[in-house]
Amino acid sequence: MTEKHDIVIVGGGPAGLAAAVAAYDAGVTDVVIIDREEAPGGVLRQCIHNGFGLHKLGRELTGPEYAAVYAAEAVKRGIRILRETMVTAVSPDREVTACSREGILKIEAGAVILAMGCRERSRGALNIGGTRPAGIFSAGTAQRLINCEGYMVGKKAVILGSGDIGLIMARRLTLEGAKVEAVCELMSYSGGLTRNIVQCLEDFDIPLYLSTTVKEIHGRDRLTGVTVVAVDESRRPVPGTERYIECDTLLLSCGLIPENELSLAAGIPLDTITGGALVDERRETEIPGIFACGNVLQVHDLVDYVSDEAELAGRSAAAFVRGEISQEKTVTVSAEKGIRYCLPQRVHTDAGKTELYMRVAAPAERVKIVARDGERVLLEANRRRVAPGEMEKITLTPEMISGAEEIRVSLEAWK
Amino acid sequence: MVYDVAIIGAGIIGAMTARELSRYRLKVCLLERTNDVAAGASRANSGIVHGGYDPEPGTLKAEMNILGVEKLFRAAEELHVPCIRNGSMICAFGAAEEPAVHALYERGLVNGVKDLRILTGDEARELEPELSGEVSLVLHVPTAGIVCPYKLTIAAAGNAIDNGIDFYRNFAVCGAEKTDEAFCLRAESGETVEARYVVNCAGAYSDRVAALFGDGDFSIIPRAGEYLLLDKAEGGRVAHTIFQVPSAAGKGILVSPTVDGNLLTGPTAAAVESPENTEITPEGVETVKALSARSVPGVQFARVITSFSGVRASEKGGDFIIRTSERVPGLVHAAAIDSPGLTSCVAIAERVTELLSGAGLVLEPKAHWDGTRPDTEAFRHMNDEEKDAFIRENPDYGRIVCRCEGISEGEIRDAVRRAPGARDVDSVKRRTRAGMGRCQGGFCMPHVMRIIAEELGIPEEQVTKKGPGSHILTGRL
Ligand SMILES: Cc1cc2nc3c(=O)[nH]c(=O)nc-3n(C[C@H](O)[C@H](O)[C@H](O)COP(=O)(O)OP(=O)(O)OC[C@H]3O[C@@H](n4cnc5c(N)ncnc54)[C@H](O)[C@@H]3O)c2cc1C
């Protein structure tokens, strides 16, 4: 079966929903969202803690509540949401193939917005030594089992990784009666938001061991314990610091990776650092008419920023469908000294006010973010402290961009 | 009931032997200590159909290997298990190692391997551009291939079951008594079965099983081999299976595509205390990385998706033990089957059958024996139109459960229903690949657990990762 639609959105999480609403409000009403789960909302459906929406909606909601706000907006506009439908391919000329209990569906799309979100790094990829018993979960899987399915995953847990999901799961397990023996973090700082360290660990007396990793897994059928070890500056285990912790559960929260299998298969070039597509200021990938937003593009700290980015992509896709395409050249935006990545990776010289999002490479204090065109300084922004766990943003004006040849962003000492 | 034959161990040797015996009008049972077939070496090995240049001429290994290659390709075809003749290359790095290539070539000729060729490094790189520039001489073995060892074991056991043999899981034989007419085999659970003949296919435990019968004249020295499996994005790095000639730097570390399109690197070789010892060690991982990079420098180890370890059942004498027990009439050993045991499995199964016949078992062919098994991957290989039509008839195939590998609910239900049915999450994974992709089950595991629970009619809390004791959930909220 083949259909035709103006905009097809792959993924009905917060990014897909916000993009759909924004595209609709920009005047393109033939919008279809496709999601593989039984209901829209994406990963928010399992995030039953609060802390969502403060920036965007001015109130603090739980994940499902935040998703419901956007889903209701989509429904109000009559936007079609295909559920339990998995997109299996997107072609460079924007043919979308999807699979559901009804069969295989093909859609010729005027524009495509990729909003597939991200997944957690798996244990195999981490190469921890030892056995392979039951009781090892990625933090997100455990979250889903507990919050959506109503099952408990263990009694005594160790968590590897202090990203936000790991921190939130430490609290969640504790509230459900499990004992969290330790949260271990390979780096010398936590990758999570400060507020989560306070509210999820400190308030519950859960120890956080920095520069520490899990070296070995023990137990044949079900996990019986883990050996943790301190690591030096180059993240090598320090001999003699091994310590055995008895536990039946190990949660891994070792980072998120944008889920870009579809993008790769479509031939969309990715940024090796973000793991997401290379995009311009409108969130268009290097393949015309295919846009990307949300965690499939870059892993965000807060869903509020996902919604912002998705609205931008939604408006841009609508403009593309209407044939409003910039004819100007683009200049590259590159991350230099002290900055891990910067997004978008290119801007059109006729771009309006443009926000550059970035993550620093390491925690630092009293620094400034400097944007240059060649050697010429465009903008300097002072920061009292920065950390890789908190995304930074600077805003370029049209005047700064219009004459630029190449934009370079770096982190420098604050004098 | 007294069985004619009880086979102890459902690895590839036990499973193929069961399939071979299922041709005849016999009552046969296959006894396995774990929750699934392919629990031992047959789950975690290189999956190489060896050409036969390696075993010393005159050994059982040489004989079974040469006989086994073509028989294996044929059986795999009948069972619809993918088996690809991709060819092997055995590489020498510099003049000092080159004599070893010539020696293997000569040995291969004596063993009867066909189409062997010696290539210069440059000729080899024409065929295999990612091969290291240091490679100076190569033995090319076009008859060698690759197969998925556990899929072959599952299919062989399934075909045997379809042809009437009985499969007992969680039946760890821990006692054997000879009664007047038969052996009484006792499991750790207390369950017993009786059989007139017994075949010992217990892999790394085969010495222990022999000892249960009072036949203790061989002993297994378990040796572990660790592997790293890489994402499909690396699967095209090489087309052939790339070996190194045995040298001080490394023995047997290979880089190979798998039939599923991943890249496999390994194995190490380290003596371990027990066959249970399938642990991953940091040293092992480093060795695999360093030595495989020596053959194929471009391998991107950032794309490792999982690591695993398998235990070889090696015997002091270095050869397979395939013989009728001298001390215990009615007992046949197919023991100490380390490499190239997978390659040899059909040849070994046929030899075991001959030995049983020699010991007095009457082999009367069944009128209706079917050696084929339906293709369990048929759905995956359909094009979009075929899939569309199929899903309209069978909607469960339209609900994709495993995102990374694109596995549907229908395929997972099949894995539980089709003999030998999956009873746990890992068994589903081996049958369908659900959970074997990039996310390693992060997304699909809850779905797979639900489907298993539904199919077996048990609460989800009782679904295990790999059999008794490996429960995944600890209760309801
Ligand atoms: C690292 C490695 C790499 C290899 N690479 C290759 C290769 O590339 N090519 C090749 O041809 N061969 C290879 N081999 C060899 C091949 O894997 C083996 O020869 C083959 O798998 C042996 O099968 P098996 O059935 O004898 O043993 P196993 O697969 O170990 O099966 C034995 C079974 O017996 C069961 N069992 C044990 N004790 C009892 C009991 N008391 N009661 C009931 N059940 C019991 C076990 O649970 C197990 O399921 C490799 C082996 C290893 C370990």
Side-chain angles (χ1 to χ4, degrees):
Chain A
M1 193 169 43
T2 301
E3 298 182 5
K4 265 191 178 156
H5 295 289
D6 282 343
I7 298 182
V8 172
I9 300 179
V10 187
L17 290 168
V21 169
Y24 187 100
D25 291 350
V28 175
T29 56
D30 178 19
V31 180
V32 178
I33 300 175
I34 305 179
D35 198 278
R36 57 194 153 209
E37 296 292 328
E38 53 277 4
V43 76
L44 287 187
R45 297 174 60 222
Q46 63 186 55
C47 300
I48 61 168
H49 53 283
N50 58 11
F52 300 91
L54 260 182
H55 294 256
K56 188 81 186 154
L57 305 173
R59 56 203 156 115
E60 219 179 334
L61 302 176
T62 65
E65 285 168 348
Y66 187 94
V69 169
Y70 282 85
E73 291 297 321
V75 169
K76 205 162 81 191
R77 288 164 180 76
I79 292 170
R80 210 167 127 214
I81 305 177
L82 301 179
R83 300 152 193 245
E84 298 198 339
T85 305
M86 167 109 175
V87 173
T88 53
V90 175
S91 75
D93 52 1
R94 304 190 294 282
E95 186 188 63
V96 177
T97 308
C99 179
S100 77
R101 299 179 71 93
E102 265 121 64
I104 307 274
L105 172 68
K106 303 228 180 220
I107 305 178
E108 287 168 22
V112 174
I113 302 177
L114 304 174
M116 294 88 76
C118 57
R119 65 179 145 83
E120 293 180 274
R121 228 177 267 280
S122 72
R123 175 196 164 197
L126 300 162
N127 287 326
I128 305 173
T131 53
R132 296 284 186 266
I136 303 168
F137 303 85
S138 73
T141 307
Q143 187 180 43
R144 178 182 175 131
L145 286 166
I146 297 172
N147 293 348
C148 299
E149 323 263 334
Y151 292 108
M152 196 50 188
V153 296
K155 300 193 167 83
K156 245 186 188 190
V158 167
I159 298 177
L160 176 60
S162 63
D164 290 314
I165 312 176
L167 299 175
I168 281 159
M169 285 311 293
R171 175 175 65 185
R172 188 81 186 103
L173 285 173
T174 309
L175 290 175
E176 290 304 336
K179 173 106 178 64
V180 177
E181 297 285 341
V183 175
C184 301
E185 170 58 58
L186 181 67
M187 309 300 280
S188 56
Y189 52 88
S190 163
L193 296 170
T194 311
R195 76 166 196 222
N196 282 334
I197 295 177
V198 175
Q199 294 171 6
C200 300
L201 299 189
E202 292 173 7
D203 288 359
F204 294 90
D205 290 328
I206 298 169
L208 170 63
Y209 300 107
L210 297 173
S211 300
T212 301
T213 192
V214 172
K215 183 181 164 202
E216 201 173 342
I217 288 167
H218 306 274
R220 205 185 54 163
D221 299 321
R222 174 87 193 191
L223 184 69
T224 54
V226 295
T227 302
V228 301
V229 66
V231 296
D232 62 20
E233 280 111 68
S234 47
R235 298 186 226 163
R236 297 240 158 230
V238 181
T241 61
E242 290 86 358
R243 193 156 62 88
Y244 180 78
I245 305 181
E246 193 188 303
C247 58
D248 67 357
T249 307
L250 174 65
L251 296 196
L252 301 170
S253 174
C254 301
L256 300 166
I257 316 174
E259 244 200 298
N260 271 302
E261 277 67 48
L262 284 175
S263 325
L264 277 172
I268 295 171
L270 304 186
D271 181 323
T272 50
I273 306 290
T274 60
L278 296 167
V279 290
D280 67 11
E281 76 283 1
R282 308 172 339 149
R283 301 302 180 266
E284 188 170 43
T285 68
E286 293 196 3
I287 297 199
I290 303 186
F291 298 78
C293 58
N295 280 356
V296 78
L297 183 59
Q298 58 173 333
V299 177
H300 291 262
D301 306 335
L302 295 179
V303 69
D304 307 66
Y305 303 145
V306 167
S307 304
D308 282 341
E309 184 171 78
E311 286 166 1
L312 171 56
R315 287 192 302 272
S316 306
F320 180 88
V321 168
R322 284 197 306 265
E324 295 161 14
I325 300 164
S326 170
Q327 305 297 340
E328 296 301 316
K329 67 169 181 136
T330 59
V331 298
T332 60
V333 179
S334 46
E336 300 199 337
K337 188 166 60 77
I339 307 284
R340 236 169 81 71
Y341 76 80
C342 190
L343 186 139
Q345 292 88 351
R346 62 182 199 282
V347 291
H348 286 92
T349 48
D350 63 348
K353 204 171 84 177
T354 296
E355 281 161 347
L356 298 184
Y357 294 85
M358 65 202 74
R359 285 188 190 276
V360 299
E365 287 184 7
R366 299 175 65 80
V367 286
K368 59 184 179 187
I369 299 168
V370 185
R372 288 190 176 80
D373 170 22
E375 294 308 312
R376 184 169 62 94
V377 173
L378 298 176
L379 183 95
E380 291 191 343
N382 289 340
R383 295 285 185 273
R384 211 168 295 281
R385 63 173 288 278
V386 292
E390 319 240 354
M391 199 187 285
E392 295 293 336
K393 168 175 103 172
I394 57 174
T395 307
L396 301 183
T397 61
E399 297 72 42
M400 293 174 185
I401 301 167
S402 63
E405 291 293 329
E406 62 157 333
I407 297 171
R408 301 161 32 216
V409 185
S410 58
L411 194 67
E412 291 167 23
W414 180 4
K415 283 176 205 120
Chain B
M1 183 184 63
V2 178
Y3 284 100
D4 294 307
V5 186
I7 301 165
I8 303 178
I12 188 60
I13 303 301
M16 263 315 162
T17 301
R19 176 177 186 253
E20 201 48 42
L21 290 174
S22 75
R23 294 173 189 270
Y24 305 101
R25 296 179 53 178
L26 297 169
K27 286 181 300 223
V28 180
C29 62
L30 178 60
L31 311 176
E32 169 52 47
R33 55 183 273 277
T34 70
N35 209 31
D36 194 15
V37 304
S42 305
R43 192 199 71 229
N45 65 50
S46 309
I48 308 304
V49 185
H50 286 295
Y53 55 84
D54 193 41
E56 214 155 304
T59 58
L60 266 173
K61 281 188 177 176
E63 186 188 355
M64 293 293 120
N65 189 337
I66 296 295
L67 278 173
V69 176
E70 297 311 318
K71 289 181 190 290
L72 177 68
F73 273 100
R74 193 168 338 117
E77 196 178 322
E78 289 166 355
L79 295 169
H80 275 107
V81 174
C83 189
I84 301 171
R85 206 183 288 271
N86 68 322
S88 295
M89 288 187 173
I90 301 89
C91 303
F93 297 74
E97 295 185 3
E98 289 176 7
V101 168
H102 293 289
L104 289 175
Y105 176 78
E106 295 301 330
R107 198 190 277 185
L109 291 186
V110 175
N111 285 345
V113 185
K114 297 214 179 68
D115 304 330
L116 287 177
R117 283 197 302 163
I118 291 183
L119 307 178
T120 64
D122 287 337
E123 286 167 341
R125 277 182 292 275
E126 289 271 307
L127 297 174
E128 204 58 87
E130 297 248 357
L131 207 59
S132 158
E134 307 287 310
V135 171
S136 59
L137 202 68
V138 167
L139 176 63
H140 182 215
V141 190
T143 52
I146 49 178
V147 65
C148 173
Y150 52 81
K151 278 191 197 161
L152 187 66
T153 309
I154 291 163
N159 186 232
I161 295 167
D162 291 345
N163 281 301
I165 77 115
D166 291 337
F167 176 47
Y168 291 71
R169 51 183 103 216
N170 300 313
F171 195 108
V173 178
C174 68
E177 269 160 53
K178 181 83 189 169
T179 58
D180 286 348
E181 298 243 323
F183 295 98
C184 178
L185 306 178
R186 191 163 30 81
E188 275 167 16
S189 62
E191 218 182 328
T192 58
V193 301
E194 287 189 81
R196 294 195 298 126
Y197 293 85
V198 173
V199 187
N200 171 14
C201 304
Y205 298 85
S206 51
D207 54 347
R208 301 186 197 181
V209 165
L212 295 178
F213 290 81
D215 192 5
D217 53 357
F218 61 89
S219 68
I220 302 290
I221 309 154
R223 277 187 316 134
E226 296 178 42
Y227 293 89
L228 298 175
L229 184 72
L230 287 86
D231 193 283
K232 287 184 178 168
E234 286 293 299
R237 191 71 63 190
V238 290
H240 296 77
T241 301
I242 312 296
F243 290 93
Q244 302 173 1
V245 297
S247 76
K251 209 171 174 186
I253 293 266
L254 58 85
V255 178
S256 180
T258 70
V259 283
D260 289 304
N262 298 82
L263 191 76
L264 184 67
T265 61
T268 56
V272 286
E273 277 159 28
S274 115
E276 313 257 306
N277 198 323
T278 51
E279 297 183 6
I280 302 301
T281 63
E283 304 78 43
V285 169
E286 285 315 310
T287 305
V288 172
K289 286 185 184 172
L291 290 181
S292 41
R294 184 170 174 246
S295 304
V296 186
V299 177
Q300 296 286 313
F301 284 102
R303 293 196 174 134
V304 168
I305 54 172
T306 191
S307 45
F308 60 86
S309 169
V311 175
R312 304 171 182 87
S314 306
E315 212 272 329
K316 275 198 299 297
D319 205 0
F320 294 156
I321 296 173
I322 309 170
R323 61 169 185 246
T324 311
S325 165
E326 280 146 29
R327 255 178 256 168
V328 188
L331 174 65
V332 172
H333 297 298
I337 312 293
D338 57 356
S339 194
L342 172 64
T343 314
S344 311
C345 63
V346 182
I348 294 173
E350 291 179 3
R351 178 63 50 89
V352 166
T353 307
E354 286 162 27
L355 290 171
L356 286 167
S357 163
L361 181 70
V362 178
L363 303 177
E364 206 182 309
K366 282 179 186 161
H368 304 287
W369 181 77
D370 185 355
T372 62
R373 187 173 190 256
D375 184 1
T376 56
E377 295 182 0
F379 179 72
R380 272 217 277 159
H381 298 131
M382 289 180 190
N383 65 28
D384 282 350
E385 284 86 66
E386 292 165 339
K387 277 191 178 157
D388 188 53
F390 192 79
I391 293 168
R392 281 163 200 279
E393 298 293 316
N394 311 274
D396 278 351
Y397 290 81
R399 178 76 175 108
I400 298 206
V401 169
C402 166
R403 303 172 181 186
C404 306
E405 296 288 323
I407 309 298
S408 67
E409 179 160 339
E411 290 162 282
I412 293 173
R413 291 193 188 277
D414 283 347
V416 183
R417 290 176 191 168
R418 200 175 266 159
R423 294 287 174 274
D424 54 50
V425 172
D426 281 0
S427 301
V428 165
K429 172 158 122 180
R430 281 191 289 276
R431 283 162 181 72
T432 63
R433 297 184 61 77
M436 210 171 264
R438 306 187 162 101
C439 87
Q440 291 285 301
F443 286 120
C444 63
M445 196 244 276
H447 289 292
V448 170
M449 287 169 62
R450 173 182 54 81
I451 297 169
I452 295 175
E454 275 174 26
E455 286 290 326
L456 301 181
I458 57 171
E460 235 174 278
E461 302 95 288
Q462 284 178 21
V463 176
T464 62
K465 177 174 173 6
K466 50 180 176 180
S470 65
H471 55 279
I472 296 166
L473 304 171
T474 56
R476 282 187 166 276
L477 290 187

